[in-house]
């Protein structure tokens, strides 16, 4: 028996017509289609339910160490869809002949199942484009294939084209080699049952034609699922936007709306309709397009089509004509339709034109289409808690002190974690220790909700399981206890008590290896706040917290003791967390004594960063020690370049409680008055940073105190508000100094 292999470009109208022609001509017994073979027992979900195109098969794989998803899209111009529906209408045997969706070949980063092998035939296509005077793959494709022609002539050109891009000896990568071997054996299986028409990506056609006769005639064996993994494939609605290659879909045709009109009607209609659509899009966005411009578009379009020997205008002809007539100035880069890939950032008018060509079709799947368990779980949870989105947006206000509202909050936070659109928190507590106990959510219907829920099913079959899956994956990507702390907050919000216990235990045991002062400071501050305030989710005084807080506190002291090098904002963050833990956390009774001895050592340690020395003095002050005289001596004796760092460390810990501030400011004003301009300018950035610890009202009080110390020569407002940037003031001071130096050199200063 014979096997007729039809190589296609995915979603091409010309290829769709060729496939229909070959099927009508050959009347095969078996139709094989490049697609996921695990769907073969469920093809009726595609062929017997009244869906609205475009749609896609969503595939996921989830297991230990692996979680991934891929898609197989279909639209009216997809040759694979034409073959599938033709076989169903004619009662023929039909099978998808590619590897099952769980095969790891499909899950390399950013990969689509049907991705065009642009990387493999890029050079050949570039040479062909240059020979034809075309810009890029899409221009070449339209020139060669998307013109009116007899199906047999198109088929002959397609065979030459695919033979050019996949010459004998051109080996596929390992993933594609596995796929091609599977498809070739599926063809041999079909040939044993009668005449076969096989539809596949054109890159595979030359190899498959050579390989299938050597294959056994049994259906190929599918690869095994990874141990413990689960997989699923479901029909989901799709859209022209997601089909568009400019949106990042590697095997998409650009501007699918254009090709839809081309398929449904003809080239003349497509050109006229998209000229009008492009001009309307520009005008709606406020760009001027005159009647003369409109006439110029028609003239340019006729001229370009004639020059390029097109019987009817192609997509590139129409876009080039619109661009030439409407955009009068030179472009900074070639028009985006001359390239492949995600739509580049370019002239706004060009992007508007491409958007007008993209199309607006959005598919719908039949209500009886099977859904993964998560879809039904989400529907039930939303209905049970009165959160089902309605036609009009609504605000949902929650009082987290009430058990029923806490339950609703957990559902909404789980949806947020999964990225389900239509559920946006507009206000609420930052973490479970926040004094704010009320939340507001914007709940609205969203056309992408259904697809997003299907995609989230990769994480689990219930909202709780899926939320746990997201947090577990995030935890696996984390680099330290800081990331664990972030996950801990979300685990509390979504109500995963068992995961909270696990995370606290993980922090306790991982902190001994943590080197990041900032992460230790953030987690220690979070845990202390949770001990003090976490009443929102009945987690106040969690039984595991004391030991965990003690472990993180001890690690914080260890890092504080050993930190060298320069100043760092993380030093102040850690110092504040240590201060608060000493005040509020359930620490061992010996901890304050051990900490006090450490602070005394570090405050005078010449190897310690200057901001840590200042923070150590501040921590001694916070413990009740009289350090006023020592602080004044430090202000007077610290090197000018390091003075701001020392003060920054001190203020990070004592800003709210420092009663000796006036005396410190007096000493600082005196000290600054004694240094030259260059040392002052060197110290200025760190001095400015030190005072950012004070909020605006306190900075105003500091400015008034300094103004008084200056004898009223300057107002507090002048110190706080200037019409010039700090950089401009600095440059002005430097210019003034250089001017004085020049004047002094020539004896021109007053009094000389």
């Amino acid at each position: 028996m014979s096997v007729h292999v039809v190589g296609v470009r995915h979603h091409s109208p010309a290829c769709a017509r060729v496939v229909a022609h070959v099927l009508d001509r050959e009347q095969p017994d078996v139709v094989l289609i490049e697609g996921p073979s695990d769907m073969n027992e469920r093809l009726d979900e595609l062929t017997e339910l009244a869906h609205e195109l475009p749609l896609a098969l969503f595939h996921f794989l989830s297991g230990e160490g692996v979680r991934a998803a891929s898609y197989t899209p279909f639209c009216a111009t997809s040759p694979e869809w034409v073959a599938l529906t033709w076989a169903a209408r004619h009662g023929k045997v039909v099978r998808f002949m590619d590897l099952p969706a769980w095969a790891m070949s499909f899950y390399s980063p950013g990969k689509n199942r049907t991705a065009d092998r642009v990387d493999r035939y890029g050079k050949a296509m570039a040479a062909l484009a240059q020979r034809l005077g075309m810009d890029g793959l899409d221009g070449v494709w339209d020139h060669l294939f998307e013109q009116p022609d007899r199906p047999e002539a198109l088929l002959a050109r397609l065979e030459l084209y695919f033979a050019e891009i996949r010459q004998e000896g051109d080996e596929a990568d390992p993933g594609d080699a596995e796929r091609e071997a599977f498809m070739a054996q599926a063809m041999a299986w079909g040939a044993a049952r009668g005449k076969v028409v096989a539809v596949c990506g054109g890159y595979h056609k030359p190899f498959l034609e050579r390989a299938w006769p050597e294959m056994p005639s049994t259906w190929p064996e599918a690869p095994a699922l990874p141990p413990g993994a689960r997989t699923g494939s479901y029909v989901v609605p799709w859209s022209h936007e997601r089909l568009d290659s400019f949106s990042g879909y590697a095997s998409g045709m650009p501007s699918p709306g254009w090709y839809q009109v081309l398929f449904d009607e003809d080239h003349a209609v497509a050109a006229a309709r998209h000229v009008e659509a492009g001009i309307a899009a520009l005008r709606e966005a406020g760009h001027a397009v005159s009647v003369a411009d409109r006439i110029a578009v028609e003239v340019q379009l006729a001229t370009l089509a004639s020059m390029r020997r097109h019987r009817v205008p192609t997509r590139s002809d129409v876009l080039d004509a619109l661009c030439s007539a409407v955009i009068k100035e030179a472009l900074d880069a070639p028009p985006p339709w001359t390239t492949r890939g995600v739509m580049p950032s370019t002239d706004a008018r060009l992007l508007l034109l491409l958007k007008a060509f993209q199309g607006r079709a959005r598919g719908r799947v039949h209500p009886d289409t099977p859904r993964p368990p998560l879809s039904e779980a989400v529907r039930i949870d939303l209905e049970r808690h009165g959160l089902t989105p309605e036609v009009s947006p609504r605000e949902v206000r929650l009082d987290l002190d009430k058990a029923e509202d806490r339950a609703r909050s957990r559902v909404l936070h789980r949806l947020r974690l999964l990225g389900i659109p239509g559920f946006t928190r507009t206000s609420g507590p930052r973490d479970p220790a926040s004094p704010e106990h009320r939340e507001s959510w914007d709940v609205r219907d969203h056309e992408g909700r259904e697809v997003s829920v299907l995609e989230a099913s990769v994480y689990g079959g219930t909202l709780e399981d899926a939320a746990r899956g997201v947090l577990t994956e995030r935890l696996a990507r984390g680099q330290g206890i800081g990331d664990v702390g972030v996950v801990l907050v979300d685990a509390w919000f979504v109500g995963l008590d068992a995961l909270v216990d696990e995370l606290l235990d993980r922090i306790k045991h991982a902190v001994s290896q943590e080197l990041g002062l900032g992460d230790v400071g953030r987690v220690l501050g979070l845990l202390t706040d949770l001990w003090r305030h976490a009443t929102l989710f009945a987690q106040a005084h969690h039984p595991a917290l004391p030991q965990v807080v003690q472990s993180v506190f001890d690690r914080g002291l260890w890092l504080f003791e050993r930190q060298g090098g320069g100043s760092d904002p993380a030093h102040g963050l850690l110092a504040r967390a240590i201060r608060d833990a000493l005040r509020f956390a359930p620490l061992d009774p010996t901890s304050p004594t051990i900490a006090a001895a450490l602070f005394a050592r570090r405050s005078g340690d010449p190897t310690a960063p200057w901001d840590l020395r200042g923070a150590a003095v501040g921590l001694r002050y916070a413990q009740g020690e009289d350090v006023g005289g020592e602080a004044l001596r430090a202000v007077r004796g610290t090197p000018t370049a390091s003075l701001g760092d020392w003060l920054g460390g001190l203020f990070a810990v004592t800003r709210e409680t420092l009663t000796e501030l006036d005396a410190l400011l007096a000493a600082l004003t005196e000290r600054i008055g004694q240094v030259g301009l260059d040392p002052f300018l060197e110290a200025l950035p760190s001095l400015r940073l030190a005072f950012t610890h004070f909020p605006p009202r306190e900075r105003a009080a500091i400015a008034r105190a300094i103004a008084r110390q200056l004898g009223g020569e300057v107002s507090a407002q002048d110190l706080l508000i200037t019409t010039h940037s700090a950089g401009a003031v600095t440059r002005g001071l430097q210019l003034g100094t250089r001017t004085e130096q020049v004047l002094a050199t020539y004896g021109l200063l007053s009094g000389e």
Side-chain angles (χ1 to χ4, degrees):
M1 289 293 182
S2 66
V3 175
H4 191 110
V5 184
V6 185
V8 300
R9 183 178 178 187
H10 307 293
H11 317 305
S12 158
C15 290
R17 293 191 184 96
V18 164
V19 166
H21 169 75
V22 171
L23 289 168
D24 286 337
R25 183 192 69 191
E26 298 294 323
Q27 291 295 312
D29 303 298
V30 179
V31 177
L32 298 175
I33 303 164
E34 182 182 333
S37 55
D38 56 302
M39 279 295 296
N40 282 336
E41 300 302 317
R42 298 164 51 200
L43 288 180
D44 57 330
E45 294 176 24
L46 290 169
T47 59
E48 295 183 13
L49 295 177
H51 307 296
E52 294 181 25
L53 297 173
L55 54 81
L57 293 173
F58 165 67
H59 319 284
F60 73 82
L61 174 68
S62 180
E64 188 67 30
V66 58
R67 185 174 284 114
S70 63
Y71 299 94
T72 306
F74 299 103
C75 61
T77 65
S78 300
E80 298 86 350
W81 184 258
V82 169
L84 181 66
T85 53
W86 185 95
R89 285 196 312 273
H90 291 80
K92 305 296 184 179
V93 174
V94 59
R95 296 285 188 277
F96 283 140
M97 63 174 177
D98 207 342
L99 287 170
W102 64 76
M104 295 306 297
S105 305
F106 298 124
Y107 293 116
S108 59
K111 184 174 181 179
N112 287 290
R113 299 181 54 90
T114 53
D116 288 315
R117 297 293 159 199
V118 177
D119 54 335
R120 291 191 165 274
Y121 56 83
K123 290 183 180 179
M125 289 302 95
L128 183 58
Q130 185 175 16
R131 205 156 64 236
L132 295 174
M134 299 288 153
D135 289 322
L137 167 65
D138 296 315
V140 170
W141 181 267
D142 285 353
H143 177 76
L144 291 176
F145 304 112
E146 301 296 345
Q147 290 276 293
D149 208 342
R150 295 177 298 104
E152 290 293 344
L154 280 173
L155 184 60
R157 280 204 302 278
L158 283 169
E159 290 182 350
L160 287 172
Y161 176 82
F162 292 130
E164 177 73 17
I165 65 175
R166 181 73 180 276
Q167 297 179 10
E168 190 167 356
D170 182 5
E171 297 298 327
D173 61 39
D176 273 343
E178 184 183 8
R179 295 176 58 202
E180 289 181 342
F182 193 94
M183 288 192 283
Q185 187 171 340
M187 290 180 185
W189 171 89
R193 285 153 180 79
K195 183 186 291 187
V196 177
V197 167
V199 179
C200 65
Y203 174 77
H204 305 297
K205 169 183 163 63
F207 173 83
L208 294 177
E209 287 180 323
R210 296 191 298 267
W212 79 262
E214 307 300 322
M215 292 291 180
S217 59
T218 56
W219 186 260
E221 184 176 349
L225 270 172
R230 61 187 184 87
T231 186
S233 294
Y234 296 95
V235 183
V236 301
W238 214 240
S239 67
H240 274 163
E241 181 180 5
R242 298 188 76 168
L243 275 169
D244 196 337
S245 63
F246 284 121
S247 296
Y249 171 42
S251 62
M253 294 283 283
S255 310
W258 163 273
Y259 292 106
Q260 183 71 54
V261 177
L262 207 63
F263 186 72
D264 290 340
E265 302 189 54
D266 59 40
H267 292 71
V269 172
R273 188 172 297 174
H274 285 83
V275 166
E276 295 301 331
I279 291 173
L282 292 169
R283 287 173 174 168
E284 287 172 11
H287 298 288
V289 181
S290 67
V291 174
D293 293 333
R294 176 69 178 79
I295 295 171
V297 171
E298 295 293 347
V299 173
Q300 291 274 22
L301 182 56
T303 303
L304 286 171
S306 175
M307 288 176 55
R308 293 168 176 172
R309 291 176 293 175
H310 293 157
R311 294 187 293 280
V312 291
T314 67
R315 166 182 163 274
S316 296
D317 294 337
V318 178
L319 283 167
D320 284 340
L322 284 164
C323 177
S324 175
V326 172
I327 300 178
K328 309 298 194 296
E329 60 273 18
L331 297 174
D332 295 331
W337 52 84
T338 63
T339 61
R340 293 281 295 170
V342 178
M343 189 183 299
S345 176
T346 183
D347 188 290
R349 291 164 293 184
L350 300 185
L351 300 184
L352 286 168
L353 291 176
L354 286 176
K355 197 71 174 176
F357 278 56
Q358 186 177 80
R360 298 180 179 179
R362 294 188 177 276
R364 294 182 181 276
V365 298
H366 191 274
D368 294 339
T369 305
R371 293 285 182 270
L374 183 62
S375 292
E376 183 64 10
V378 168
R379 186 193 66 77
I380 292 172
D381 281 346
L382 290 175
E383 190 175 280
R384 176 186 301 146
H385 294 285
L387 296 171
T388 303
E390 300 169 354
V391 175
S392 300
R394 61 191 172 108
E395 183 182 30
V396 175
R397 297 181 180 181
L398 304 176
D399 182 348
L400 299 178
D401 290 321
K402 297 178 179 178
E404 61 187 63
D405 278 0
R406 285 201 300 273
R408 299 175 83 198
S409 174
R410 287 174 174 176
V411 169
L412 291 167
H413 277 286
R414 291 168 184 175
L415 293 167
R416 171 186 61 81
L417 267 184
L418 294 171
I420 308 302
F423 306 92
T424 305
R425 191 166 83 144
T426 56
S427 66
R430 176 179 54 86
D431 57 52
S434 172
E436 174 61 52
H437 285 200
R438 285 172 171 75
E439 278 186 332
S440 292
W441 292 78
D442 179 83
V443 175
R444 60 181 64 205
D445 199 13
H446 192 286
E447 61 189 11
R449 185 176 79 250
E450 183 181 2
V451 173
S452 295
V453 171
L454 288 166
E455 291 172 342
S457 61
V458 65
Y459 292 104
T462 68
L463 262 181
E464 181 175 342
D465 287 346
R468 187 190 311 277
V470 170
L471 293 179
T472 301
E473 183 177 87
R474 189 187 298 172
L475 200 59
R477 295 197 304 263
Q479 300 298 313
I481 66 168
D483 296 314
V484 179
V486 174
V487 173
L488 175 64
V489 170
D490 271 328
W492 243 307
F493 274 121
V494 301
L496 298 176
D497 294 343
L499 184 57
V500 167
D501 293 340
E502 178 186 330
L503 293 171
L504 289 174
D505 187 65
R506 179 164 177 166
I507 291 172
K508 176 185 173 182
H509 291 93
V511 71
S512 62
Q513 305 299 317
E514 182 61 58
L515 297 176
L517 274 74
D519 282 346
V520 171
R522 276 186 286 272
V523 172
L524 180 57
L526 169 65
L527 296 176
T528 300
D529 284 345
L530 290 174
W531 179 263
R532 293 176 66 194
H533 304 299
T535 59
L536 284 185
F537 305 116
Q539 292 288 355
H541 294 186
H542 188 288
L545 270 178
Q547 289 185 348
V548 180
V549 172
Q550 186 70 55
S551 298
V552 180
F553 177 82
D554 291 344
R555 184 63 177 181
L557 289 187
W558 188 90
L559 291 170
F560 197 93
E561 173 88 67
R562 286 158 177 77
Q563 188 67 16
S567 297
D568 190 310
H571 299 166
L573 177 61
L574 177 61
R576 286 194 299 276
I578 290 173
R579 176 201 65 190
D580 291 342
L582 285 166
R583 288 177 179 173
F584 307 113
L587 299 175
D588 186 279
T590 62
S591 292
T593 303
I594 295 172
L598 167 61
F599 303 151
R601 292 194 299 272
R602 288 255 86 177
S603 60
D605 185 350
T607 67
W610 282 103
D611 61 345
L612 266 189
R613 296 191 215 181
V617 172
L619 287 165
R620 290 165 58 195
Y621 180 85
Q623 285 190 290
E625 187 177 344
D626 183 3
V627 295
E630 183 177 342
L632 291 174
R633 288 192 297 275
V635 170
R636 296 187 180 106
T638 300
T640 304
S642 303
L643 186 54
D645 292 335
W646 188 91
L647 287 170
L650 177 73
F651 293 156
V653 180
T654 64
R655 190 269 301 170
E656 304 95 329
T657 58
L658 189 60
T659 58
E660 292 84 356
L661 183 59
D662 285 346
L664 275 176
L665 292 175
L668 179 61
T669 303
E670 179 184 358
R671 173 69 188 282
I672 294 300
Q674 295 170 352
V675 303
L677 179 62
D678 286 341
F680 169 70
L681 292 176
E682 183 181 357
L684 184 58
S686 62
L687 285 169
R688 287 171 57 85
L689 185 61
F691 283 94
T692 60
H693 288 289
F694 295 91
R697 181 175 295 181
E698 293 181 27
R699 285 202 295 272
I702 292 170
R704 288 192 293 272
I706 293 175
R708 287 194 301 271
Q709 293 167 10
L710 294 175
E713 297 177 8
V714 64
S715 71
Q717 185 176 10
D718 290 338
L719 291 174
L720 288 169
I721 302 173
T722 176
T723 57
H724 305 289
S725 68
V729 172
T730 301
R731 290 191 295 273
L733 290 171
Q734 291 171 331
L735 178 61
T737 299
R738 289 197 299 272
T739 301
E740 288 184 358
Q741 291 170 346
V742 172
L743 292 174
T745 300
Y746 292 99
L748 298 175
L749 283 177
S750 176
E752 295 188 7

